[in-house]
Amino acid sequence: MKELLTILLSLFIIGNLFSQDAEPAKWSYEIENKTEGNIEITLIADIESNWYIYAMNLPDGGPLPLFIAFDESDKLEFEEEFNSVKEAKELFDEVFKMNVAYYEGKTVFKAVIKETTNENLKLIIDGQACYKVDGSCIQIFEEMILTIKPIID
């Protein structure tokens, strides 16, 4: 009986360790050339079941908010900064003792930049994701290279 209990406890601990290595969101993007030389960037987060990512605009003293930005060396001009297409949900976070906004499921962010001569843009995503089952949270960090095709007149 002790051996069975030890094996089950070991499997539980190993399972929790692997959940910490989980990839709570898979990121992809779409680029659309707009009129007047603007480029619309759509960033898509497919957030895994039972996970959520804290929103972009959170009050001070709370969890790490989602940060989406291009590398400063790209020197881009924005018509519109990155914003979520759908409204974030809210919950009372027991750890931070405050209401916080979060995203779950498929979440889309859009930004519009002015035409650029850069063909490859480095996008940085940084934030915090939490697992609903056990309440554990991990930092998410991703760097993506977005390929921009020049606008042909």
Side-chain angles (χ1 to χ4, degrees), residues 53-64:
I53 295 175
Y54 286 112
M56 297 175 84
N57 300 311
L58 296 176
D60 291 339
L64 182 64

Side-chain angles (χ1 to χ4, degrees), residues 46-103:
D46 282 315
I47 303 168
E48 293 291 326
S49 176
N50 290 320
W51 284 90
Y52 62 90
I53 295 175
Y54 286 112
M56 297 175 84
N57 300 311
L58 296 176
D60 291 339
L64 182 64
L66 182 62
F67 173 79
I68 303 171
F70 287 100
D71 189 289
E72 290 178 9
S73 66
D74 288 329
K75 297 183 180 165
L76 300 172
E77 289 184 58
F78 281 87
E79 287 291 321
E80 297 173 31
E81 297 281 340
F82 276 104
N83 283 304
S84 174
V85 171
K86 72 177 180 180
E87 192 164 330
K89 295 182 177 184
E90 254 191 41
L91 63 80
F92 183 79
D93 192 304
E94 291 292 334
V95 173
F96 296 104
K97 304 292 185 215
M98 65 173 61
N99 286 329
V100 293
Y102 67 96
Y103 306 113

Side-chain angles (χ1 to χ4, degrees), residues 7 10 76 110 112 127:
I7 290 170
S10 297
L76 300 172
K110 290 191 181 248
V112 178

Side-chain angles (χ1 to χ4, degrees), residues 21-32:
D21 290 333
E23 187 178 349
K26 291 180 178 46
W27 298 87
S28 60
Y29 71 93
E30 297 171 0
I31 304 289
E32 184 179 345

Side-chain angles (χ1 to χ4, degrees), residues 52 63-64 68 95 106 109 111 114 123 125 127 129 138 142 144:
Y52 62 90
L64 182 64
I68 303 171
V95 173
K106 184 175 181 174
F109 303 89
K114 291 189 176 185
L123 183 71
I125 302 165
I138 60 172
E142 181 124 6
M144 300 173 68

Side-chain angles (χ1 to χ4, degrees), residues 12-50:
F12 176 76
I13 291 170
I14 290 170
N16 278 340
L17 290 174
F18 282 116
S19 75
Q20 292 299 312
D21 290 333
E23 187 178 349
K26 291 180 178 46
W27 298 87
S28 60
Y29 71 93
E30 297 171 0
I31 304 289
E32 184 179 345
N33 292 332
K34 300 297 234 178
T35 58
E36 302 166 9
N38 291 334
I39 300 168
E40 181 178 75
I41 300 166
T42 302
L43 181 63
I44 303 137
D46 282 315
I47 303 168
E48 293 291 326
S49 176
N50 290 320

